[in-house]
Amino acid sequence: MKSERVTALTRKVTEAVLAVPGVACLRPGLRSLLYAADTRPPAARHPGDPGSAVRITFDSRGAVTGLQVDVVVRAQQQAAHTARAVRAAAAETAATPPRSVKVTVTGIV
């Protein structure tokens, strides 16, 4: 049941982030790829799965305590402004304070 909740919330956050102007796509950085390879069984990985680019942590009561999002920004946009907009969109979608959302720009296209 918990994995269904995580999957649903990950999809909602992914959709919200992709709707932010200036976001080209979600793409995990090297640290995220290594983390995903270490923690997810091979059968759980899917090509193009944004799961490793959006990572959510929960406390013991099930509340979101941390949210990590890895994005690629379009070159004509300012990366800092786009990252702030991504943080706000992700925080609102996950119903968590913006300070618990970390956004990493992993590329510019």
Side-chain angles (χ1 to χ4, degrees):
M1 185 69 136
K2 186 174 180 178
S3 66
E4 291 175 8
R5 178 173 179 240
V6 171
T7 302
L9 186 55
T10 299
R11 285 188 183 150
K12 286 182 182 179
V13 169
T14 298
E15 291 170 3
V17 167
L18 290 174
V20 172
V23 172
C25 63
L26 295 173
R27 184 178 70 194
L30 180 59
R31 179 181 294 159
S32 299
L33 290 172
L34 292 173
Y35 174 80
D38 187 43
T39 59
R40 294 173 66 190
R45 292 184 215 122
H46 308 300
D49 178 16
S52 59
V54 176
R55 291 173 314 286
I56 304 169
T57 55
F58 297 91
D59 65 10
S60 60
R61 294 173 293 169
V64 175
T65 58
L67 183 57
Q68 168 70 39
V69 182
D70 298 335
V71 297
V72 174
V73 176
R74 296 192 185 281
Q76 59 269 35
Q77 301 291 324
Q78 260 194 328
H81 290 295
T82 303
R84 278 193 287 274
V86 166
R87 174 183 286 156
E92 182 178 335
T93 303
T96 189
R99 69 179 177 276
S100 64
V101 179
K102 181 179 177 189
V103 178
T104 303
V105 176
T106 59
I108 298 175
V109 294

